[in-house]
Amino acid sequence: MTANVMVVVERQFDTPREAVFRAWVEPEELSRWRGSPGWHVEEATAGDRALGGRHHHVKVRDNDSATRVTTDGVYTEYFSPDVFVSRERITGDPGIDPEEPLELRVEFTKYGRNGTLLRIIQGPYDPDVAGWHGEGWEKELTRLAAYLGETSTVGGAR
C-alpha cells in the first residue's frame, strides 16, 4: 500500500500560544505530556530551536520498558510561536516505516483573547494506520491540555 494519507487534528486551548509552543519545543516540558496513556517520554533533547535544528525523544510503554518508539527530527520550518515543521524518522512503531520520513507540521494560532488553536498535520501514512495515529494524537492532546492546566495554576499563570 502507498503511504498517502495525512492526519489532521485540531484542538483549542485556553492558554497563550507562547506557552503552548514552549510545551512542544522545550524538552523538559515535552517530557511531561507526550505519549498516549500508558506511555511516557524517557528522553527528550533539542538542539537549535531554529531552521535545521535537531530534536529527539523516546516514548516508552509504562508496563514494558523494552517497547520504545524513537523520534529523530530536523526542523524544516521554525517560526516561534507560530509554526514549526519537522522531517522525522520514527523507529519502533509497527505502523511506520523507519526508512520513510514523515512530516510533522504544528501550527499555533492565536484564538480569542488569550487562547490557542493548535493544528497538527502529519504524514504520509498508509491508509490502514492513519486513523489509529489520529486517535493517538487526540489522546496526546488531552494530556497536553491537562499539563497546560497544571502549569497555569501551579506556580503562577504563564
Side-chain angles (χ1 to χ4, degrees), residues 128-139:
D128 57 338
V129 299
W132 182 86
H133 284 89
E135 290 174 20
W137 274 121
E138 291 288 353
K139 291 174 183 176

Side-chain angles (χ1 to χ4, degrees), residues 4 17 20 33 37 44 51 63 65 80 84 103 112 118 122 135-136 140 149 152:
N4 65 353
R17 67 189 179 138
V20 181
W33 68 268
L51 181 64
N63 64 1
S65 62
S80 175
F84 71 80
E103 181 174 280
L118 178 76
Q122 188 178 40
E135 290 174 20
E140 289 198 37
S152 68

Side-chain angles (χ1 to χ4, degrees), residues 17 19 29 33 43 49 73 81 83 86 90 92 97-98 108 110 120-121 135 137 139 147 152 157:
R17 67 189 179 138
E29 291 199 42
W33 68 268
E43 174 188 338
R49 289 176 201 97
V83 63
S86 175
I90 300 172
D97 180 351
F108 305 80
K110 183 176 168 122
I120 298 168
I121 305 166
E135 290 174 20
W137 274 121
K139 291 174 183 176
Y147 169 72
S152 68

Side-chain angles (χ1 to χ4, degrees), residues 8 10 13 39 41 63-64 72 75 77 80 86 105-106 109 115 120 127 130 146 152:
V8 180
E10 291 184 342
F13 296 94
W39 291 78
V41 170
N63 64 1
D64 177 12
D72 289 294
Y75 293 118
E77 291 182 40
S80 175
S86 175
R105 178 180 184 88
V106 185
T109 304
I120 298 168
S152 68

Side-chain angles (χ1 to χ4, degrees), residues 3 8-9 16-17 23 48 55 62 66-67 77 80 85 94 101 104 113-115 117 125 134 148 157:
V8 180
V9 179
R17 67 189 179 138
D48 291 335
H55 60 94
D62 291 343
T67 302
E77 291 182 40
S80 175
V85 179
L104 171 65
R113 291 199 170 142
N114 226 4
L117 175 63
Y125 288 103
L148 292 170

Side-chain angles (χ1 to χ4, degrees), residues 32-108:
R32 296 199 41 216
W33 68 268
R34 278 301 302 268
S36 294
W39 291 78
H40 66 278
V41 170
E42 180 179 270
E43 174 188 338
T45 60
D48 291 335
R49 289 176 201 97
L51 181 64
R54 297 189 174 278
H55 60 94
H56 165 88
H57 69 271
V58 179
K59 292 186 216 173
V60 180
R61 187 181 296 273
D62 291 343
N63 64 1
D64 177 12
S65 62
T67 302
R68 308 165 76 76
V69 176
T70 301
T71 300
D72 289 294
V74 176
Y75 293 118
T76 58
E77 291 182 40
Y78 193 97
F79 299 98
S80 175
D82 301 310
V83 63
F84 71 80
V85 179
S86 175
R87 184 174 174 90
E88 301 180 332
R89 292 202 183 266
I90 300 172
T91 57
D93 186 320
I96 297 175
D97 180 351
E99 298 302 316
E100 294 294 325
L102 296 177
E103 181 174 280
L104 171 65
R105 178 180 184 88
V106 185
E107 301 169 351
F108 305 80

